[in-house]
């Protein structure tokens, strides 16, 4: 009897009412899921290899991570647009076989995880990517999906949880080679020789050989399965964003990928949330805008501690912990700020090493006109461009440069 | 017409019948919410995690090696989805996951609060089985399909859990003759 009493108490504490599953509502909430189930079914019935078929892993549905995921998609897109490309060298047979296989492949899928080194408080950002030849790319992170159609130079970002979409037009940007923004196309245009052979390593029970390709702005490591010649793992390190690196895993060639997955048509009933995006090349004014926004909207008049992406991420997390967020009245306004800030960072990423840029805005307050917060040498210019604490910009000769 | 078994439903899903996937979800929803609730300690987040579980399952169905272990496989996805949410909550949430509100601090509610704390302090495996047992009238058979253990083993775990609960309640001064076994 006393056991019954405990049962009763436990039932009271635990059982908070009947749970009912509403399939209709679930389908509305996860419109991508049944599509993927369809792909799984096709593949299963065709008896294709099933190992590691994992279309995507969904990141959690927190408003902050949604925003972060969106930002990551944009940042990754921008980084890839600007830093993929270049030529190389090849060596072993494994490498050659994989290159050949990649050249013949028409589709691929992979998981892309963005890691932040030395930032323990930020979870890795995962996205599942499906690519199809002719520059189609679909990136999914939770309920956020971005679809890029390179031939049309257009993209759409869909937020399924809010039933909203944003259309992006890249027509004014350099998108001449798909290999510049698409890992699949990058694989398909791999050179005949790698810059470096790294030796053998076991990854998840697979024997692999490592290769490194060093390119302008980044270096890429490929670990290829010695038996299947599959790509077991790839790591991309961005020279201008130290501490941030992307890992490509679960890479599969020639998966089922229906054209409808790459449709730029917004889903029916979704509302447009198109934001005026400045699509011109990011420039100095964008950096100034970034510094102004950070000081004014984020950190009570103080400039960011660093312009290193990892350090900025750390600072953002610390501010979030302290309850500080971007001061904006609406989500749209917040997104506009975010996009503007992204352009400022893009400008930094675009600067060549010869620009010798230096940031010294840590602890400087907006308006401190005597303090230099940023300097760089524009291309083909003998002098410096200097940004001061009041965000004024001056051309300064080498000999007059403030010590 | 007799109701399809889980195995028949899974076969139908592989034959392209998406409605059967919906039926499987309905059958496993309460169990998934219970598992997620035992981790997240919040009913609404638990429902989110359970729904997320089904979405992840769609993407990973081809990884299901043994159709007989669909429930166990689903439960593993659910634990991961819940832990992901828990991690995000601890990193980013504006507020901590909500405990069910205590309306008035009467003796009974205080008692329930203590019991809830004791429950939350149980080792994960024991807490999970307790949530499954007391959630929405789940049968031992259903619990067995998601934990992959026999009904006797479930009974054993529940007994162990209750023993720990009674011991902890005693330690907290709720000796309550009503709890002693």
């Amino acid at each position: 009897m006393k056991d019954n009493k405990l049962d009763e108490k436990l039932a009271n504490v635990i059982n908070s009412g009947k749970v009912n599953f509403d399939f209709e509502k679930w389908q509305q909430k996860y419109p991508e899921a049944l599509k993927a189930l369809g792909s799984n079914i096709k593949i299963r019935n065709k008896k294709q290899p099933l190992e590691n078929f994992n279309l995507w892993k969904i990141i959690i549905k927190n408003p902050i991570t949604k925003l972060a995921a969106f930002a990551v998609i944009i940042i990754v897109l921008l980084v890839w647009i600007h830093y993929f490309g270049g030529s190389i060298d090849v060596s072993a047979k494994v490498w050659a076989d994989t290159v050949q296989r990649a050249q013949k492949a028409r589709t691929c899928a992979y998981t892309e995880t963005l890691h932040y080194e030395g930032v323990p408080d930020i979870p890795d950002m995962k996205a599942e990517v499906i690519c199809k030849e002719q520059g189609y790319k679909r990136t999914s992170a939770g309920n956020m999906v971005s679809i890029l159609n390179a031939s049309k130079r257009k993209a759409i970002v869909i937020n399924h949880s809010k039933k909203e979409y944003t259309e992006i037009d890249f027509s004014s940007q350099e998108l001449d080679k798909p290999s510049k923004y698409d890992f699949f196309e990058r694989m398909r245009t791999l050179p005949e020789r790698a810059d470096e052979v790294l030796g053998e390593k076991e990854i998840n029970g697979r024997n692999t050989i490592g290769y490194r390709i060093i390119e302008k702005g980044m270096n890429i490591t490929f670990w290829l399965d010695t038996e299947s010649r599959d790509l077991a793992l790839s790591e991309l390190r961005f020279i201008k964003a130290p501490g941030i690196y992307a890992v490509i895993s679960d890479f599969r060639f020639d998966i089922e990928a229906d054209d409808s997955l790459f449709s730029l048509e917004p889903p029916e009933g979704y509302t447009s949330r198109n934001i005026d995006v400045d699509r011109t090349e990011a420039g100095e004014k964008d950096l100034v805008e970034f510094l102004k926004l950070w000081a004014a909207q984020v950190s009570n008049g103080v400039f960011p501690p660093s312009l290193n992406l990892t350090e900025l991420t750390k600072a953002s997390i610390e501010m979030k912990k302290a309850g500080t967020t971007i001061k904006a009245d609406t989500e749209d306004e917040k997104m506009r700020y975010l996009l503007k800030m992204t352009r400022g960072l893009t400008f930094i990423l675009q600067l060549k090493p010869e620009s010798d840029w230096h940031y010294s805005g840590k602890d400087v307050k907006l308006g401190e006109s005597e303090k230099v917060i940023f300097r760089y040498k524009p291309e083909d210019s003998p002098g410096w461009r200097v940004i001061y604490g009041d965000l004024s910009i001056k051309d300064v000769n080498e000999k007059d440069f403030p010590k | 017409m007799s109701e399809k078994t889980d195995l028949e439903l899974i076969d139908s899903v592989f034959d392209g019948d998406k409605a059967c996937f919906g039926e499987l979800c309905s059958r496993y929803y309460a169990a998934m919410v219970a598992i997620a609730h035992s981790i997240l300690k919040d009913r609404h987040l638990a429902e989110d995690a359970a729904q997320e579980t089904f979405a992840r399952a769609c993407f990973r169905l081809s990884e299901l090696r043994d159709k007989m272990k669909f429930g166990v496989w689903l439960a593993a996805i659910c634990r991961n989805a819940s832990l992901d949410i828990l991690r995000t909550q601890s990193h980013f949430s504006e507020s901590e996951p909500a405990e069910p509100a205590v309306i008035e601090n009467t003796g009974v509610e205080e008692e329930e609060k203590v019991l809830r704390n004791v429950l939350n302090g149980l080792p994960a495996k024991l807490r999970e089985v307790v949530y499954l047992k007391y959630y929405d009238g789940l049968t031992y058979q259903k619990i067995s399909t998601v934990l992959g253990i026999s009904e006797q083993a479930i009974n054993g775990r529940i007994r162990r859990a209750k023993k720990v609960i009674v011991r902890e309640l005693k330690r907290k001064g709720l000796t309550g003759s009503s709890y002693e076994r």
Side-chain angles (χ1 to χ4, degrees):
Chain A
M1 290 304 284
K2 282 166 185 171
D3 200 28
N4 287 348
K5 188 78 182 170
L6 181 59
D7 282 339
E8 194 187 303
K9 296 278 179 195
L10 283 168
N12 279 345
V13 166
I14 292 170
N15 194 347
S16 38
K18 186 124 184 101
V19 285
N20 286 315
F21 181 70
D22 187 330
F23 192 42
E24 291 285 310
K25 276 192 184 164
W26 177 83
Q27 286 182 73
Q28 284 165 15
K29 193 172 174 185
Y30 296 96
E32 299 298 312
L34 279 187
K35 274 191 200 168
L37 187 64
S39 311
N40 271 313
I41 291 164
K42 281 181 205 162
I43 282 176
R44 186 87 169 196
N45 288 343
K46 284 189 171 182
K47 300 194 188 313
Q48 291 184 358
L50 302 176
E51 273 71 25
N52 300 323
F53 191 87
N54 176 10
L55 269 184
W56 77 48
K57 289 170 187 161
I58 299 168
I59 63 161
I60 20 333
K61 306 187 298 296
N62 178 292
I64 303 298
T65 46
K66 269 183 214 158
L67 195 65
F70 185 32
V72 164
I73 286 171
I74 290 175
I75 289 170
V76 169
L77 201 61
L78 289 169
V79 168
W80 284 29
I81 284 169
H82 292 291
Y83 293 102
F84 267 26
S87 58
I88 335 145
D89 234 271
V90 185
S91 71
K93 185 166 178 357
V94 174
W95 176 263
D97 287 351
T98 305
V99 170
Q100 203 180 22
R101 208 169 143 210
Q103 284 166 350
K104 287 180 184 165
R106 304 194 61 187
T107 62
C108 81
Y110 56 86
T111 303
E112 180 181 312
T113 311
L114 209 58
H115 297 270
Y116 293 79
E117 258 170 355
V119 193
D121 287 345
I122 192 162
D124 297 335
M125 297 291 180
K126 270 191 187 182
E128 294 299 327
V129 182
I130 305 174
C131 299
K132 195 165 184 170
E133 62 180 3
Q134 310 296 333
Y136 294 103
K137 183 179 180 188
R138 178 190 179 89
T139 307
S140 315
N143 287 319
M144 301 291 297
V145 176
S146 79
I147 298 161
L148 172 69
N149 181 327
S151 55
K152 288 187 178 169
R153 298 188 172 201
K154 282 184 178 166
I156 184 168
V157 179
I158 303 167
N159 182 339
H160 284 302
S161 60
K162 289 190 174 175
K163 293 186 178 259
E164 290 173 344
Y165 66 92
T166 303
E167 287 167 314
I168 303 167
D169 188 335
F170 292 100
S171 51
S172 61
Q173 293 210 4
E174 285 279 324
L175 267 184
D176 53 349
K177 276 188 190 171
S179 61
K180 286 189 176 180
Y181 50 84
D182 186 329
F183 189 78
F184 176 43
E185 290 299 328
R186 192 71 200 84
M187 288 289 290
R188 283 153 58 94
T189 52
L190 282 173
E192 288 181 16
R193 285 184 183 280
D195 287 326
E196 201 180 334
V197 179
L198 305 172
E200 294 193 22
K201 184 161 105 174
E202 193 181 302
I203 298 176
N204 297 329
R206 302 162 83 175
N207 285 326
T208 66
I209 301 180
Y211 301 85
R212 182 171 290 135
I213 290 176
I214 299 156
E215 295 193 0
K216 197 175 174 186
M218 76 185 319
N219 67 52
I220 315 175
T221 309
F222 297 90
W223 292 95
L224 305 182
D225 190 310
T226 50
E227 282 178 23
S228 66
R229 309 302 202 238
D230 282 338
L231 174 66
L233 203 76
S234 182
E235 190 178 290
L236 298 88
R237 290 201 175 249
F238 310 104
I239 289 160
K240 288 182 182 177
I244 298 179
Y245 64 98
V247 171
I248 305 291
S249 57
D250 293 339
F251 194 92
R252 288 142 280 143
F253 285 124
D254 286 323
I255 60 139
E256 289 268 347
D258 194 82
D259 280 351
S260 62
L261 286 172
F262 306 97
S263 167
L264 293 174
E265 281 297 310
E268 213 180 312
Y270 280 40
T271 51
S272 163
R273 193 170 167 203
N274 284 339
I275 299 161
D276 234 356
V277 182
D278 185 351
R279 297 177 190 114
T280 56
E281 196 176 336
E284 181 188 87
K285 66 175 176 29
D286 295 297
L287 175 62
V288 169
E289 190 65 22
F290 165 76
L291 294 167
K292 187 166 88 185
L293 280 173
W294 184 282
Q297 309 299 132
V298 181
S299 69
N300 294 323
V302 183
F303 290 115
S306 160
L307 292 185
N308 171 303
L309 282 183
T310 314
E311 293 303 316
L312 277 173
T313 309
K314 277 185 196 169
S316 305
I317 289 168
E318 288 308 315
M319 287 191 296
K320 173 71 194 163
K321 278 184 184 167
T324 311
T325 52
I326 296 175
K327 289 172 198 146
D329 293 331
T330 63
E331 281 297 309
D332 277 0
E333 195 178 13
K334 195 181 274 187
M335 189 55 76
R336 270 196 295 275
Y337 288 158
L338 189 74
L339 289 172
K340 277 186 182 178
M341 289 164 94
T342 305
R343 283 180 60 79
L345 294 173
T346 306
F347 171 68
I348 295 290
L349 288 170
Q350 284 173 335
L351 284 176
K352 293 182 174 167
E354 306 86 83
S355 73
D356 198 14
W357 68 269
H358 180 73
Y359 176 73
S360 50
K362 189 181 178 188
D363 299 329
V364 177
K365 285 186 178 164
L366 178 62
E368 291 186 286
S369 57
E370 76 288 0
K371 291 192 176 164
V372 171
I373 58 169
F374 186 83
R375 63 168 164 80
Y376 76 105
K377 256 186 194 172
E379 226 169 314
D380 305 323
S381 165
W384 294 82
R385 291 283 284 171
V386 177
I387 303 177
Y388 294 84
D390 60 354
L391 298 178
S392 60
I393 307 172
K394 287 179 188 162
D395 287 308
V396 178
N397 291 325
E398 186 88 49
K399 61 180 175 53
D400 301 325
F401 192 77
K403 298 293 173 198
Chain B
M1 204 173 97
S2 65
E3 209 181 44
K4 281 186 172 180
T5 63
D6 285 1
L7 200 56
E8 286 167 340
L9 284 174
I10 295 163
D11 279 335
S12 299
V13 171
F14 280 120
D15 286 339
D17 189 340
K18 291 178 182 177
C20 285
F21 185 75
E23 176 58 27
L24 277 171
C25 294
S26 298
R27 289 190 190 181
Y28 282 90
Y29 190 55
M32 294 307 114
V33 176
I35 289 172
H37 201 160
S38 78
I39 295 168
L40 294 161
K41 298 161 189 130
D42 178 85
R43 162 71 180 268
H44 298 293
L45 287 177
E47 291 214 35
D48 277 352
Q51 290 169 22
E52 181 87 11
T53 299
F54 298 139
R56 292 187 185 194
C58 281
F59 296 114
R60 302 173 59 173
L61 198 62
S62 59
E63 293 172 10
L64 174 64
R65 298 272 183 270
D66 183 351
K67 290 177 198 169
M68 300 290 284
K69 290 185 179 167
F70 177 75
V72 177
W73 176 75
L74 208 56
I77 295 177
C78 183
R79 286 183 203 106
N80 285 334
S82 304
L83 289 171
D84 283 347
I85 290 177
L86 194 65
R87 273 192 287 272
T88 315
Q89 286 294 314
S90 61
H91 288 137
F92 295 108
S93 70
E94 307 289 335
S95 57
E96 290 301 307
E99 283 288 319
V102 174
I103 308 153
E104 283 295 326
N105 204 13
T106 64
V108 175
E109 275 129 16
E110 183 61 33
E111 207 175 85
E112 284 191 355
K113 198 176 163 188
V114 174
L115 181 56
R116 193 173 291 120
N117 286 339
V118 169
L119 192 57
N120 289 342
L122 283 178
K125 267 191 179 175
L126 296 185
R127 192 170 65 240
E128 186 178 80
V129 78
V130 172
Y131 266 85
L132 281 163
K133 176 173 161 50
Y134 295 97
Y135 226 92
D136 203 18
L138 289 172
T139 62
Y140 271 37
Q141 195 193 358
K142 177 58 86 184
I143 299 173
S144 168
T145 60
V146 295
L147 293 185
I149 56 173
S150 69
E151 294 182 23
Q152 288 88 335
I154 292 167
N155 211 18
R157 269 192 205 177
I158 286 171
R159 249 189 261 179
R160 271 205 310 284
K162 280 183 175 176
K163 216 169 153 183
V164 177
I165 291 171
V166 171
R167 191 184 67 215
E168 286 304 305
L169 287 175
K170 267 188 190 173
R171 258 182 9 100
K172 288 176 188 290
L174 270 178
T175 49
S177 52
S178 57
Y179 290 112
E180 288 180 34
R181 305 182 63 221

